[in-house]
Amino acid sequence: FQPPSVKGWTSGSNWLSSGAIVERLRMAQRVAALADDTIPDHIVDTALQGDLPEPLSKALEGKTGRARTTLALGCPEFQLA
């Protein structure tokens, strides 16, 4: 990613703002709305690179289709991926 210095990017706080989190969740909902309900597991596996932490795995139990996709793309683990 080639940060400008060893300090990283000075605009990093914008990425972690509450408004940015809301917008990323809205993006997750839009992606889920466009996705075929037959592929949420593929989206979850791809988004999280097959590394599902136990709390997220439990949260996804029983969720299918768009709800599963939205939850996976809106979770903190994906935000840090």
Side-chain angles (χ1 to χ4, degrees), residues 2 4 7 11 13 33 37-39 41 58 66-67 73-74 78:
Q2 300 177 347
K7 182 178 153 190
S11 62
S13 61
D37 277 347
T38 62
I39 59 167
D41 287 331
K58 286 182 180 181
R66 293 182 177 127
L73 296 179
F78 178 71

Side-chain angles (χ1 to χ4, degrees), residues 22-43:
V22 169
E23 287 305 314
R24 287 195 297 278
L25 185 54
R26 287 183 182 155
M27 180 278 307
Q29 291 171 326
R30 288 191 296 267
V31 168
L34 295 172
D36 185 332
D37 277 347
T38 62
I39 59 167
D41 287 331
H42 177 70
I43 291 173

Side-chain angles (χ1 to χ4, degrees), residues 12-69:
S13 61
N14 292 334
W15 176 251
L16 297 173
S17 72
S18 58
I21 291 171
V22 169
E23 287 305 314
R24 287 195 297 278
L25 185 54
R26 287 183 182 155
M27 180 278 307
Q29 291 171 326
R30 288 191 296 267
V31 168
L34 295 172
D36 185 332
D37 277 347
T38 62
I39 59 167
D41 287 331
H42 177 70
I43 291 173
V44 170
D45 290 341
T46 301
L48 297 166
Q49 302 171 354
D51 185 22
L52 242 61
E54 188 174 335
L56 178 59
S57 181
K58 286 182 180 181
L60 290 173
E61 283 179 13
K63 304 288 190 289
T64 59
R66 293 182 177 127
R68 185 173 175 84
T69 302

Side-chain angles (χ1 to χ4, degrees), residues 71-72 74-81:
L71 183 58
C75 73
E77 291 83 1
F78 178 71
Q79 304 307 314
L80 298 174

